[in-house]
Each structure stands twice: as structure tokens, then as C-alpha cells.
Amino acid sequence: MLRPWSLIAAADSTPGAASLDHAQKSASNAATWVENNWANWLTTGLQIVLIVVIAMVLRAMVRRMITQLIARMNKHSEHRQIGGLGGLLVNTERRRQRSEAIGSVLRSVASFLIMGTAALMVLSLMRIDLAPVLASVSVAGVAVGFGARNLVTDFLSGVFMILEDQYGVGDVIDAGVAQGTVIEVGLRVTKLRGDNGEIWYVRNGEVKRIGNLSQGWATAVVDVQVGYSEDLDRARAVIGQAAKEMSEEAPWDETLWEPVDVLGLESVSADSVVIQAQAKTMPGKAAAVARELRWRIKKAFDAEGIVIVGGAPTALTEDTAADPSAAMAAPSALANPSSPQSTAAAPLPPEPPTAPHLEK
């Protein structure tokens, strides 16, 4: 039995109508979903933009405040008038580098805190679970910490060295691995200028101990070795007078912070004695003061006729007669050819040649 053409057409048009209805429903649902959520999207987007803008502005403001604070500290240290001992201890370059290093650390910490907090707030607004993110960051941080532990150690050591002002530019320090004058202080490396002009790059994390030879004051020690028979009271008076004259002349009047103290005998031997004197000086000037004091003591001793042991030998006077036998050589037994010594030293005579053995 044949079906009507209307039923066949209706049956053929049913899948297309269903697809069209499904598309219409999907579009309607999508439009409804967008209509219901666009307000939330707009609010979230505005919140994210607001958070980012506030974080950027706050970061710029904090960094600018830190920079202005560091610049004001440097300017104040350069232009303030300090007299006496305080003025001698002020080192502008040392203060500048120390303040710049502290400012760099503060700016980095401020940027990390502000931008990190803003990033966490943005992720929270985007409905992202922060627990896996924080766990991943923690694991990555531990891995980086183990891999770059020397770098982290150098950085942290440099931060504490600067904050505690253990040393600065211009100081003479003994870092154990190297010794010299500090020319640059960084968060990771400290530069030292050695006595021979070489530059040492010392990692802050490798420094186990630091001896600062430029903080507070220094001590110049001078040992004077004189003959055993010299008058010690007279030698003490001559040393004291030379030191007094030195302390009254420029520039030693500012370098010497206390009068030179003659301590007395440092050691006694069979032919000499050692008189020790010391003085408190400006930091880093002990060697120069000791050299100048030795120079003046030597001149004063020469003027007073006090002999320093180890000096140039005393020349012979004209009244001293030279020994005529000093230029004569000692007699030798080998000078006589018939002496037993000459006979024993004579070469042996060659043996006469022997006839070869005849074979039978």
C-alpha cells in the first residue's frame, strides 16, 4: 500500500526541523547564559583591572618613596657639617653604597610583596583554586633553593653585612681568603684592592670571619733596638721628645689621637735591648704613623749619639793601626817540593808496558 505524499514529505522534513529547533534552543540558551553572566564577567574584569592598576600605582609610589628616602639620606650625609672626630669618620662613598644597597633590597621586597598579592587576588577572582598553585610554587621554590643555595647564601650574607655595617668602602679588612681595601660592596660579591694593586672578588657567603682594621681607631707599634750598654732613661727621653714634636706638626696632629706612649723594654738579649712605643691613631693610618715615628727616632738618636743595633758599622779611626800580617797568607806545606805533603800529593808514575804472552 502506498503512503500519501504528504506523509512522506513530513517524514523527510522531521530531522531538519529537529536540527533547526536544537540550534534555536542552543542559541537561546547561550544568549540566556550570556545575558545572565555578562554582569558578573564585567564586574570581575573591572575588579581585575582595578587590582592591577592599584598594584602598579602602589608599587611605583613605594619605590619612589624609597628612592627619595635614600637620596635624602645621601644628601644629608654629604652636606652636614661635622667637626672633630666625627668628621674624620664620615665616608660619603661608603654611606652612598650602603644606602643604595639597602634601597635596592627594599625596592625588590616591596615589588615582590605588592605584585605577588595582586596576582593571588586576580587568580582568586577568576575562580582558580590556589592550593595546587601554591603547592607547585612551593615545590619549585624548594628545588630552586637547593640548586642555587650558594647564590642565596651569598645574597643573604650580603644583606646582613650591609644592614649591620660590618664594613664599607674605604675600610681595610681581613676576610680570611683575602685582605685589602674595600672598593665596592655588593649583595653577592665584595671587591677588595690588595696591597700590590690586585682586585679580589670575595663572595659574601664564603666569608666566615671579618677583621675590620679601619673601625674606631688603630694602634701604631714601634720597636727600637739599641745597644745593651746604652742609657735607657736617656733613650726614653729622646723617643718621647721626638714623638712630642711629631704630634705638634701637621698632618700628624690630626692623625695621632693620643700622645705616644713609651711602654718600656719589650725584650732583652746579650748585646741589645728593645724599647717599644705605641700610639693610638686614626683608622687606617697606623702604618704611616709608625714609619714617620721610626724616621724621627732615628734622626734623634743620630743627633744624640745613641747607636741603634743593626745599623752601619763604625768606621776605623786614623789612630787605629792596621795589622801588617792581615794581608799575608798562611804558610803552606805544599810550597816545599820535598815535604811529605808534596810527595803524597805528587801523581803516580805510569807503569812500564809488558810483553804480550806467546801462545804455544
Side-chain angles (χ1 to χ4, degrees), residues 70 74 91-103 162 168-169 182-186:
I70 297 301
N74 292 334
N91 191 321
T92 304
E93 181 64 18
R94 170 176 177 167
R95 289 178 176 270
R96 187 191 67 80
Q97 288 205 11
R98 179 170 178 261
S99 59
E100 289 293 339
I102 295 175
I162 292 173
V169 175
V182 179
I183 60 177
E184 184 178 343
V185 180

Coordinates of all heavy atoms in Angstrom, one line a residue, residues 70 74 91-103 162 168-169 182-186:
I70 N 66.4 57.3 50.2 CA 67.8 57.1 50.0 C 68.5 58.3 49.6 O 69.6 58.6 50.1 CB 68.0 55.9 49.1 CG1 67.4 54.6 49.7 CG2 69.5 55.7 48.8 CD1 67.9 54.2 51.0
N74 N 71.6 60.3 51.5 CA 72.9 60.6 50.9 C 73.1 62.1 50.9 O 74.2 62.6 51.2 CB 72.9 60.1 49.5 CG 72.9 58.6 49.4 OD1 73.3 57.9 50.4 ND2 72.4 58.0 48.3
N91 N 82.4 58.8 55.8 CA 82.8 58.4 54.4 C 81.6 58.4 53.5 O 80.7 57.6 53.6 CB 83.4 56.9 54.5 CG 84.1 56.6 53.2 OD1 83.7 56.9 52.1 ND2 85.2 55.9 53.3
T92 N 81.6 59.4 52.6 CA 80.4 59.7 51.8 C 80.2 58.5 50.9 O 79.1 58.0 50.7 CB 80.6 61.0 51.0 OG1 80.9 62.0 51.9 CG2 79.4 61.3 50.2
E93 N 81.3 58.0 50.2 CA 81.1 56.9 49.3 C 80.6 55.6 50.0 O 79.7 54.9 49.5 CB 82.4 56.6 48.6 CG 82.3 55.5 47.6 CD 81.4 55.8 46.4 OE1 81.1 57.0 46.2 OE2 81.0 54.8 45.7
R94 N 81.1 55.4 51.2 CA 80.7 54.2 52.0 C 79.2 54.4 52.3 O 78.4 53.4 52.1 CB 81.5 54.1 53.2 CG 81.0 53.1 54.2 CD 81.9 53.0 55.4 NE 81.3 52.0 56.4 CZ 82.0 51.6 57.4 NH1 83.3 51.9 57.6 NH2 81.5 50.7 58.3
R95 N 78.7 55.5 52.8 CA 77.3 55.7 53.1 C 76.5 55.6 51.8 O 75.4 55.0 51.9 CB 77.1 57.1 53.7 CG 77.7 57.2 55.1 CD 77.4 58.6 55.7 NE 77.8 58.7 57.1 CZ 77.0 58.5 58.1 NH1 75.8 58.1 57.9 NH2 77.5 58.6 59.3
R96 N 77.0 56.1 50.7 CA 76.2 56.1 49.5 C 76.0 54.6 49.0 O 74.8 54.2 48.7 CB 76.9 56.9 48.4 CG 76.0 57.0 47.1 CD 76.9 57.6 46.0 NE 77.9 56.6 45.6 CZ 77.6 55.6 44.8 NH1 76.4 55.3 44.3 NH2 78.6 54.7 44.5
Q97 N 77.0 53.8 49.0 CA 76.9 52.5 48.5 C 76.0 51.6 49.5 O 75.2 50.8 49.1 CB 78.2 51.8 48.3 CG 79.0 52.4 47.1 CD 80.0 51.3 46.6 OE1 80.0 50.2 47.0 NE2 80.9 51.8 45.7
R98 N 76.2 51.9 50.8 CA 75.4 51.1 51.8 C 73.9 51.5 51.6 O 73.1 50.6 51.6 CB 75.9 51.5 53.2 CG 75.1 50.8 54.3 CD 75.9 50.9 55.6 NE 75.1 50.3 56.7 CZ 74.3 50.9 57.5 NH1 74.2 52.2 57.4 NH2 73.7 50.3 58.5
S99 N 73.6 52.8 51.5 CA 72.2 53.2 51.3 C 71.6 52.7 50.0 O 70.5 52.3 50.0 CB 72.1 54.7 51.5 OG 72.9 55.3 50.4
E100 N 72.4 52.7 49.0 CA 71.9 52.2 47.7 C 71.6 50.7 47.7 O 70.6 50.2 47.2 CB 72.9 52.5 46.6 CG 73.0 54.0 46.2 CD 71.8 54.5 45.6 OE1 71.0 53.7 45.0 OE2 71.6 55.7 45.6
A101 N 72.5 50.0 48.4 CA 72.2 48.5 48.5 C 71.0 48.3 49.4 O 70.1 47.4 49.0 CB 73.4 47.9 49.2
I102 N 70.8 49.0 50.5 CA 69.6 48.8 51.3 C 68.4 49.2 50.5 O 67.3 48.6 50.5 CB 69.7 49.6 52.6 CG1 70.9 49.1 53.4 CG2 68.4 49.6 53.3 CD1 71.2 49.9 54.7
G103 N 68.5 50.3 49.7 CA 67.3 50.7 48.9 C 67.0 49.7 47.8 O 65.8 49.5 47.6
I162 N 75.5 44.4 55.1 CA 75.2 45.8 54.8 C 74.3 46.4 55.9 O 74.6 47.5 56.4 CB 74.5 45.9 53.4 CG1 75.5 45.6 52.3 CG2 74.0 47.3 53.3 CD1 74.9 45.6 51.0
G168 N 82.7 48.9 55.0 CA 82.2 49.7 53.9 C 83.3 50.1 53.0 O 84.5 49.7 53.2
V169 N 83.0 51.0 52.0 CA 84.0 51.4 51.1 C 85.1 52.2 51.8 O 84.8 53.1 52.6 CB 83.3 52.3 50.0 CG1 84.4 52.9 49.0 CG2 82.4 51.4 49.2
V182 N 88.5 47.9 50.8 CA 87.2 47.7 50.2 C 86.9 48.8 49.2 O 87.0 50.0 49.5 CB 86.0 47.6 51.2 CG1 84.7 47.4 50.5 CG2 86.3 46.6 52.2
I183 N 86.7 48.4 47.9 CA 86.3 49.4 46.9 C 84.9 49.3 46.4 O 84.4 50.3 45.8 CB 87.3 49.3 45.7 CG1 87.2 47.9 45.0 CG2 88.7 49.5 46.1 CD1 88.0 47.7 43.8
E184 N 84.2 48.2 46.7 CA 82.8 48.1 46.3 C 82.2 47.0 47.2 O 82.7 46.0 47.4 CB 82.6 47.8 44.8 CG 81.2 47.7 44.4 CD 81.1 47.5 42.9 OE1 82.1 47.6 42.2 OE2 80.0 47.1 42.5
V185 N 81.0 47.3 47.7 CA 80.2 46.4 48.5 C 78.9 46.0 47.7 O 78.1 46.9 47.5 CB 79.9 46.9 49.9 CG1 79.1 45.9 50.7 CG2 81.2 47.3 50.6
G186 N 78.7 44.8 47.4 CA 77.5 44.3 46.7 C 76.8 43.3 47.6 O 77.3 42.8 48.6

